[in-house]
Each structure stands twice: as C-alpha cells, then as structure tokens.
C-alpha cells in the first residue's frame, strides 16, 4: 500500500475548518481510470474557498482541495494513457468534491486528462493552471468578438490576481494597450513589469453605479471580480466593445440596464474553464504552449511547498496575494 502526503481540510466541532498536511493511502483515493503522481499544482481562489468550508464549492469534508494538477501517470486502465506519460488536469470536479491536487497522488477519470503540451514543462503548465487557461479563454473570446490591438485600451480588473495577472501579461504580449485595475497601489510596478501601460484605482470603477451609461473608455475588458464593477465597465465600453466575465470576488449580483447593449451594441461574454469540453481546453493549452507562450511566467509566481499552503490560503482569503502561487509536490 502506497502512502503519500496531502493537505486535508477538516471541519472541527466548533464549526471551524482546519487545513493540515496528513499521510494518506492511495487505496483511499476515489475511483478513476488513471493514477497520477503529482509534481505541481497551483493555488486558486476556488481552492481557498474550499479550504475555508464553502459548501458551494465542496460539500463533504474531510477533503483535499486543488483544482489543478500536473504529474506523471503511475497506473492506467485505458489505452489513451500509459505509465510514464506526463499529464495535466484542470477543472471538472477535481479539488471540488473529488480529492484534488494538493496531494502527491490523485486518481481521476481519463476524460479529465490532457497529455502535457509539448511547448510547456509540467512546472510551466501549473504556473498557468486554471488561471492561465481562463485568461486565455477570455482573450480568445474578445478576439472572436472582433477586438484588435489597434482598437484602444483594454481593461483588466482584479489585475494582481491569478487570472488578472496572466491576462495583463498575455494581452501585453499580443500588442494590446493594457489598463490594469487594482486596489493594491503597492503592486503598480509589478503590473507594469507584466506589461500594463496604465494603472487604474479599483475604487474609481465604482463611480457612477447610479448611472445607466458612462463615458466610453475601454475597447475591451477582462473582468475577474463581478459585482457593480462588472456592469460599470460594461457601461464604459466603446461602441461595439466586449467584456469577458470570469470572476466573482466582488459579488455575484449587479444592477443592470439594457441601455449599453442597445445603444452601443456592446457584448458581455461569459467564460467558463471548469466544464469546458476537453477538446476546447486542449486547443487553448496548445496556444499557451506555442504562439501565446509567455516568456515572463516565473515573474508571476511565488512557490510554496505543501506545508506552506495553509498560510498561503489565509493570505489569499485576506486579499494579500498577487500573481500565481505554485505548489511544488516533488
């Protein structure tokens, strides 16, 4: 029987949720066709919610979060994968109600897996992770809706977060003029290093929530926060502009009006990276490993070991993190 280390979140008798590194057995993992020895994972906001006991993310505890994992196939009962294959998995039920990537082993359905893109190492794949995939999907949707680098400035909200920071870097690498919105003034230089040409104070994006329309400012936008900021940015899009929406840290509701849509013909584009068909995920990963490969990935990341994760989770919940947090399980 193979033992391994995993971060386990347990509910206490007083209702608190505590994260601890524990020894687990491979035999206790859920059913699945492929057993993977995890090399790297990454910390996402959804993982922090799971670790805090959010029942909208994870229903049953004890539980191991981690919606991302990259590693080496140890055992496989399907022909598509063989022992020694390097693979990645992001989303689906991993880390939500299926034991996730904050562990040295996972067992998952083969339908969740992709072989490592040739242009990325396992480490690079997790420097991107779900955040990178989501950012790429946002940019792809904006371009499909007609956005081009010469259209004008593109706003990224929540720009110091995982999705936001990669969106800033990716848009800048593709030649866009990027405005990065954040409530962390001390991170301005970090965002400029990623390629932002303008820093926007997050509080200014709440001005005019009582108005049906705002002065056009943005050719496009990637919104990672939701709430009233989301619709204020929609109201400030250029004629025919588009916003890709993928987050909710500022709230799930906003007061909407049809006016920006029928007077300026703007587009609000929803982006999901969890239940996306595997073939679409594969196409995005191919882009991220080739024509959209970022040269500054390492500057986005802070690396932690498994035992350092509880502290990193607390920092993320307190909005004190920036960029990506890579989890090294080697």
């Amino acid at each position: 029987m193979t033992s391994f280390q995993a971060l386990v979140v347990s509910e206490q008798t007083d209702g608190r949720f505590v994260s601890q590194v524990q020894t687990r057995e491979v035999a206790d993992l859920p059913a699945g066709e492929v057993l993977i020895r995890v090399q790297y994972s990454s910390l996402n906001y959804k993982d922090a919610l799971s670790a805090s006991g959010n029942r909208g993310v994870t229903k049953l505890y004890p539980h191991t979060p981690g919606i991302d994992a990259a590693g080496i196939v140890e055992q496989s009962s399907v022909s598509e994968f063989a022992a020694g294959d390097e693979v990645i998995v992001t989303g689906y039920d991993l880390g939500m109600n299926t034991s996730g990537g904050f562990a040295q082993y996972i067992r998952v359905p083969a339908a969740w897996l992709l072989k490592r893109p040739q242009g990325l190492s396992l480490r690079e794949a997790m420097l991107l992770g779900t955040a990178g995939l989501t950012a790429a999907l946002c940019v792809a949707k904006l371009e499909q809706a007609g956005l081009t680098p010469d259209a004008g400035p593109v706003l990224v909200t929540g720009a110091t977060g995982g999705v936001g920071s990669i969106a800033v870097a990716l848009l800048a690498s593709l030649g866009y003029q990027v405005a990065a919105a954040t409530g962390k003034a001390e991170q301005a230089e970090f965002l400029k290093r990623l390629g932002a040409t303008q820093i926007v104070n997050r509080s200014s994006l709440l001005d005019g929530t009582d108005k049906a329309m705002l002065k056009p400012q943005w050719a496009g936008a990637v919104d990672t926060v939701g709430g009233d900021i989301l619709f204020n940015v929609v109201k400030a899009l250029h004629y025919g502009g588009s916003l890709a929406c993928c987050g909710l840290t500022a709230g799930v509701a906003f007061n909407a009006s049809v006016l920006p849509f029928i007077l300026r013909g703007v587009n609000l584009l929803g982006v999901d990276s969890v239940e996306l068909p595997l073939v679409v995920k594969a196409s995005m990963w191919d882009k991220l490993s080739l024509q959209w490969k970022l040269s500054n990935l390492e500057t986005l990341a802070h690396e932690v070991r498994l035992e350092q994760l509880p502290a990193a989770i607390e920092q993320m919940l307190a909005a004190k993190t920036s960029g990506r947090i890579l989890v090294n399980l080697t």
Side-chain angles (χ1 to χ4, degrees):
M1 189 176 291
T2 302
S3 300
F4 65 94
Q5 299 294 295
L7 186 78
V8 179
V9 181
S10 303
E11 186 173 7
Q12 307 299 293
T13 55
D14 60 3
R16 292 181 305 116
F17 288 82
V18 176
S19 301
Q20 296 176 315
V21 177
Q22 297 181 9
T23 300
R24 297 197 62 203
E25 304 295 335
V26 165
D28 297 329
L29 289 172
E33 294 97 346
V34 186
L35 176 68
I36 300 159
R37 189 168 77 253
V38 180
Q39 304 290 294
Y40 296 97
S41 182
S42 68
L43 176 60
N44 299 278
Y45 186 64
K46 187 179 285 186
D47 301 317
L49 291 178
S50 174
S52 67
N54 187 303
R55 301 287 183 180
V57 177
T58 301
K59 294 178 175 62
L60 297 175
Y61 294 84
H63 173 67
T64 295
I67 63 172
D68 293 341
I72 301 167
V73 172
E74 191 106 329
Q75 295 174 7
S76 172
S77 61
V78 295
S79 59
E80 296 95 324
F81 299 98
D85 285 347
E86 295 189 352
V87 294
I88 60 174
V89 54
T90 60
Y92 302 116
D93 194 51
L94 185 71
M96 294 178 67
N97 295 292
T98 299
S99 188
F102 295 166
Q104 292 173 318
Y105 280 89
I106 58 172
R107 185 157 45 213
V108 297
W112 295 359
L113 287 177
L114 287 170
K115 289 188 178 178
R116 175 183 59 79
Q118 288 190 355
L120 294 172
S121 66
L122 291 176
R123 177 187 172 84
E124 288 172 328
M126 289 296 96
L127 286 171
L128 291 164
T130 288
L133 177 63
T134 304
L137 288 164
C138 288
V139 174
K141 277 211 169 185
L142 290 172
E143 292 196 334
Q144 288 163 13
L147 183 66
T148 57
D150 60 359
V154 179
L155 179 71
V156 177
T157 67
T160 61
V163 177
S165 58
I166 294 178
V168 169
L170 181 55
L171 285 163
S173 74
L174 295 174
Y176 289 90
Q177 179 186 340
V178 184
T182 181
K184 303 172 182 176
E186 71 278 7
Q187 295 294 335
E189 288 305 314
F190 166 69
L191 292 169
K192 288 177 181 177
R193 287 198 303 272
L194 296 183
T197 56
Q198 180 182 354
I199 307 299
V200 178
N201 190 307
R202 179 178 60 197
S203 63
S204 70
L205 298 180
L206 288 169
D207 295 341
T209 52
D210 57 333
K211 297 179 181 179
M213 301 280 279
L214 294 173
K215 179 183 176 182
Q217 292 187 74
W218 317 114
V222 173
D223 178 68
T224 73
V225 301
D228 287 334
I229 286 176
L230 164 63
F231 198 59
N232 258 14
V233 177
V234 168
K235 291 185 285 186
L237 289 172
H238 291 176
Y239 188 92
S242 299
L243 180 149
C245 165
C246 65
L248 47 65
T249 57
V252 298
F254 58 89
N255 294 315
S257 160
V258 300
L259 290 181
F261 301 100
I262 64 175
L263 296 181
R264 289 190 187 148
V266 301
N267 306 295
L268 178 56
L269 310 170
V271 173
D272 165 60
S273 61
V274 179
E275 295 296 336
L276 201 65
L278 198 63
V279 64
V280 182
K281 287 189 180 184
S283 69
M284 283 296 102
W285 279 109
D286 284 343
K287 273 197 166 186
L288 286 166
S289 69
L290 297 169
Q291 64 265 45
W292 284 6
K293 185 168 183 179
L294 294 171
S295 60
N296 55 351
L297 269 179
E298 289 289 344
T299 66
L300 285 162
H302 170 62
E303 183 175 318
V304 299
R305 307 290 300 188
L306 200 55
E307 62 273 13
Q308 297 170 306
L309 258 178
I313 288 168
E314 290 300 318
Q315 286 187 313
M316 179 167 283
L317 289 171
K320 294 180 179 178
T321 58
S322 61
R324 295 285 287 143
I325 297 176
L326 179 77
V327 185
N328 187 336
L329 292 130
T330 57

